[in-house]
Amino acid sequence: MVIGDTIVTPALQDGILPGIVRQAIIAASRELNINIVEKTLYPSDLLIASECFSSNSLMEIQSILSINEHRFAIEAEAIITQRAIEAYFAYKETLL
């Protein structure tokens, strides 16, 4: 998710899987000076997030439109998410 100008992802100690795509997004974002923080998240954090996406090996990065009644910015409006996607695919190319 994106809060302000920062990508916020759950901390590994909170039980999230240390996925390959997640690791690549973190590495690529840091290389391009995109703010990214790993921390304990709470449901209330979703209410202040402006953008939200999920990542996994099958779908890579997928924007989330809404959770319950809370809508997130998508596509062109999701500036930080788009930068993360671009960073991820550029990073991925260096691994091939």
Side-chain angles (χ1 to χ4, degrees):
M1 78 178 71
V2 177
I3 299 174
D5 65 348
T6 302
I7 296 172
V8 183
T9 185
L12 291 176
Q13 68 260 21
D14 292 337
I16 190 110
L17 293 174
I20 295 169
V21 175
R22 178 183 182 275
Q23 292 172 359
I25 292 168
I26 291 169
S29 295
R30 287 184 174 147
E31 280 185 19
L32 294 179
N33 295 318
I34 298 171
N35 297 326
I36 188 160
V37 174
E38 297 176 76
K39 69 176 210 158
T40 298
L41 296 172
Y42 301 93
S44 59
D45 291 322
L46 289 167
L47 299 176
I48 60 172
S50 58
E51 304 172 31
C52 192
F53 62 90
S54 65
S55 65
N56 62 56
S57 297
L58 180 64
M59 300 296 292
E60 296 184 296
I61 303 173
Q62 184 71 42
S63 289
I64 296 173
L65 175 62
S66 66
I67 295 178
N68 294 335
E69 301 299 317
H70 184 70
R71 294 182 60 86
F72 302 104
I74 59 167
E75 298 177 3
E77 297 173 359
I79 296 167
I80 303 295
T81 299
Q82 290 302 317
R83 285 187 64 207
I85 290 169
E86 291 168 9
Y88 165 73
F89 283 108
Y91 183 83
K92 183 178 163 184
E93 285 295 316
T94 67
L95 302 176
L96 299 177

